[in-house]
Amino acid sequence: MKYTLQFRLILSFTLVILLTVGAVFFVMWQAATIQIQKYNERVEHMVSGRIHFVIGDYYINNNMSWDGILPVISKLAEQFNYRIILADTDGKIIADSENGTSGTRLDLNKFSSRLITLPNEPQKSAPVRPRENMSLPAPTLIFSGQAFPGPPPEPPLPDLSQSQVVGYLFLTPLTQSPVGLTALQILTSEMGRYFMAGACLAVAVAIILTIFLSRRILAPVKSLTLAAQRLGKGDFSQRVNIKEKSEIGELATTFNRMAADLERDEKLRRDLVADIAHELRSPLTNVRGYLEAIRDGIIVPDEHTVNTIYDETMLLSRLIEDLQELSLAESGQLKLYCQNEDIGNIITQAITAVMAKASIKDIKLSVELPGGLPAVFIDRQRIKQVLLNLLTNALTHTPSGRSITVSAEQVGDHIAVCVADNGEGIPPDELPFIFERFHRVDKSRTRLTGGSGLGLTIARYFVEAHKGTITAWSEPGKGSRFTFTLPAVGA
């Protein structure tokens, strides 16, 4: 079963609210229970103290005698719902609120007992204040028709060391008073009702807010989803217009950037296919034309014709090799065989390789190498090819009678190699694209006059494979300068 994000948000908020309300209700219920129990204990303490006080006071006022105590005990037992047993110091029952006066002895371990104590010198004094807690709740004490809204004032405790025991008072609650339980039930019921109402209201509000917020949140997500689906079908022009500054906004910006990159890569791919087809078609067409002319007897297969066909096949072979090298470099599978090399020696060899072509065009080649340059850890053949590509490009775009200079210097922990010419230069709007494959500044140039358009691209990949960088500066009419860096050994 598929659950939408909106349903999951509603369910999550509802569960959070219910859990929160339930936790708060549980905590409050526990707190209320504890407080009611404490209140019951205080009331029980007060009731038992009152009974003790009345019986002790009766003994004092009755000339230190328990005669006639049974009605008093019966009334107290009826009033406070206790079973009250009074025994003398020998354990003989003097009065029992249930059985009257039995005269039997009582097992002192069966009941909660209180000592009735009097001073050795009989005088009218208050009995010992009760020290044990009993179990009988009562919100208001009533005795002899007089209401006590709280515990009556208790006299100070007498010194037990100067007192004498005159009897035992046994107090046992007959039934548990429903006051505390009823109060707890009422409180729980009321709390539960209000909490349930609050929970329902909170859930309703949460659902409304979730629906409202989820629509605002899901709207851009749906836009992104539709755009991604169209992008997956090949429509790389898709963009989303989301101006939020949240994570959704960052996602939209990333999506638009990705779509732009994909659109650009798709354009480059199409251009690459078209350029490769064009570059391969040209030499193949020439070879085919010469072969058909020879077959039809139009051209005699002399040395010149054979050399021309050979040159075309060599151009085709070099183009295929360049494409293979470029493919390896772009996929990160280019293998380098690096060792410590003298960059000056490599520059000299590259200059020597293009000297003949420079002489034909009457272009002066010069080298500026300072002494003491550190070695570089490079693949000699790859870096030599970078220099040859840059020199060939400079020779192509430099008119006769001008010059090309190759220099090297140490810049920090790198060696910077520069190929500068004072040729025709590169227009500013073309400069950012010169390292892209098959890019030609002069669109009117053909394969014969402008090369294949892969030289600078291969140079960039080879330099970057050596952890270096390559940059270009140019000004139309004043020339161009290409600089690449290589890490120096021990720098």
Side-chain angles (χ1 to χ4, degrees):
M1 183 176 180
K2 184 179 179 181
Y3 296 103
T4 63
L5 180 59
Q6 186 180 63
F7 174 78
R8 293 178 181 178
L9 288 173
I10 293 175
L11 183 61
S12 299
F13 283 134
T14 302
L15 289 176
V16 169
I17 290 173
L18 292 178
L19 289 175
T20 303
V21 171
V24 173
F25 175 78
F26 176 77
V27 171
M28 292 188 67
W29 179 78
Q30 288 288 340
T33 302
I34 293 173
Q35 292 302 319
I36 290 175
Q37 289 176 350
K38 289 182 178 180
Y39 175 75
N40 287 339
E41 291 173 358
R42 290 194 297 269
V43 172
E44 291 165 5
H45 183 80
M46 179 185 62
V47 170
S48 60
R50 181 61 183 171
I51 294 173
H52 184 274
F53 179 82
V54 171
I55 295 176
D57 188 64
Y58 176 87
Y59 179 79
I60 295 172
N61 292 328
N62 198 37
N63 296 321
M64 308 302 177
S65 173
W66 295 117
D67 295 338
I69 191 63
L70 181 59
V72 176
I73 287 179
S74 299
K75 188 173 183 179
L76 288 173
E78 181 181 356
Q79 179 181 356
F80 294 112
N81 200 24
Y82 265 75
R83 180 183 180 185
I84 304 174
I85 301 175
L86 179 63
D88 59 16
T89 56
D90 295 328
K92 183 180 178 180
I93 296 177
I94 299 172
D96 186 347
S97 60
E98 289 188 358
N99 301 324
T101 303
S102 62
T104 61
R105 291 189 178 277
L106 191 65
D107 185 358
L108 301 181
N109 296 323
K110 278 187 169 183
F111 299 89
S112 299
S113 65
R114 292 180 182 275
L115 293 177
I116 302 297
T117 61
L118 291 175
N120 287 329
E121 297 295 331
Q123 56 180 344
K124 189 173 181 178
S125 174
V128 178
R129 196 183 325 169
R131 300 179 185 275
E132 295 84 8
N133 292 333
M134 304 304 294
S135 303
L136 184 61
T140 302
L141 297 179
I142 300 177
F143 180 72
S144 301
Q146 182 181 2
F148 295 91
E154 299 181 9
L157 289 172
D159 185 3
L160 292 179
S161 63
Q162 302 297 324
S163 301
Q164 60 179 345
V165 177
V166 296
Y168 291 95
L169 180 64
F170 301 93
L171 304 177
T172 303
L174 296 177
T175 58
Q176 185 178 2
S177 174
V179 177
L181 181 60
T182 302
L184 183 60
Q185 290 176 345
I186 294 174
L187 180 61
T188 304
S189 176
E190 291 297 322
M191 287 173 57
R193 187 180 299 111
Y194 284 111
F195 270 91
M196 185 63 67
C200 293
L201 179 61
V203 169
V205 173
I207 292 175
I208 295 173
L209 289 177
T210 303
I211 293 174
F212 174 74
L213 293 175
S214 62
R215 286 180 179 176
R216 294 197 60 182
I217 294 173
L218 294 178
V221 174
K222 289 181 179 179
S223 299
L224 282 168
T225 302
L226 292 176
Q229 290 174 348
R230 294 171 183 171
L231 190 70
K233 294 179 180 179
D235 185 3
F236 298 105
S237 63
Q238 289 296 313
R239 302 292 186 275
V240 290
N241 186 20
I242 299 174
K243 301 187 181 299
E244 294 185 11
K245 295 183 179 180
S246 61
E247 289 81 358
I248 298 295
E250 293 179 2
L251 178 62
T253 302
T254 304
F255 176 85
N256 290 337
R257 190 181 299 115
M258 178 192 69
D261 292 340
L262 288 174
E263 185 177 26
R264 179 174 173 273
D265 290 343
E266 177 64 13
K267 183 178 182 301
L268 290 176
R269 185 189 66 81
R270 292 176 180 175
D271 292 344
L272 174 63
V273 173
D275 288 338
I276 290 175
H278 173 72
E279 296 295 337
L280 293 178
R281 186 184 300 114
S282 297
L284 286 174
T285 300
N286 290 338
V287 172
R288 178 182 177 182
Y290 276 108
L291 292 176
E292 287 179 350
I294 292 173
R295 184 190 62 182
D296 295 338
I298 299 174
I299 296 178
V300 178
D302 54 12
E303 183 179 357
H304 173 72
T305 304
V306 172
N307 288 336
T308 302
I309 295 174
Y310 177 78
D311 290 340
E312 292 293 339
T313 57
M314 289 302 296
L315 288 173
L316 184 61
S317 177
R318 284 196 295 271
L319 177 60
I320 293 174
E321 289 178 358
D322 287 346
L323 287 172
Q324 184 179 12
E325 294 284 352
L326 185 60
S327 175
L328 291 174
E330 288 180 334
S331 62
Q333 299 179 356
L334 185 67
K335 293 183 179 180
L336 300 178
Y337 302 94
C338 297
Q339 58 184 2
N340 293 342
E341 299 286 352
D342 182 1
I343 191 64
N345 187 20
I346 298 175
I347 292 174
T348 301
Q349 291 182 3
I351 290 290
T352 302
V354 298
M355 187 67 73
K357 186 176 181 179
S359 298
I360 294 174
K361 292 191 65 176
D362 191 22
I363 296 175
K364 180 182 178 182
L365 294 176
S366 59
V367 180
E368 297 178 359
L369 294 174
L373 284 177
V376 287
F377 189 69
I378 58 173
D379 185 324
R380 183 185 186 89
Q381 296 302 322
R382 303 296 188 188
I383 296 303
K384 184 178 178 180
Q385 186 175 350
V386 172
L387 282 167
L388 289 174
N389 288 353
L390 294 178
L391 286 169
T392 301
N393 183 72
L395 288 170
T396 302
H397 297 281
T398 300
S400 299
R402 300 193 181 183
S403 64
I404 298 174
T405 303
V406 181
S407 62
E409 62 177 339
Q410 183 173 1
V411 180
D413 57 352
H414 286 73
I415 300 298
V417 181
C418 178
V419 178
D421 65 68
N422 54 3
E424 60 193 30
I426 304 172
D429 57 337
E430 297 284 348
L431 195 60
F433 309 104
I434 59 174
F435 291 106
E436 293 182 0
R437 54 197 173 199
F438 296 113
H439 181 80
R440 292 192 179 93
V441 175
D442 187 355
K443 302 300 187 294
S444 64
R445 288 184 180 269
T446 63
R447 173 180 51 82
L448 296 177
T449 61
S452 65
L454 294 176
L456 292 180
T457 306
I458 293 174
R460 186 192 71 179
Y461 277 108
F462 282 4
V463 170
E464 290 178 352
H466 285 81
K467 309 301 180 183
T469 59
I470 185 169
T471 57
W473 172 91
S474 183
E475 186 175 348
K478 293 186 178 181
S480 303
R481 182 172 64 249
F482 289 83
T483 304
F484 65 92
T485 62
L486 299 170
V489 175

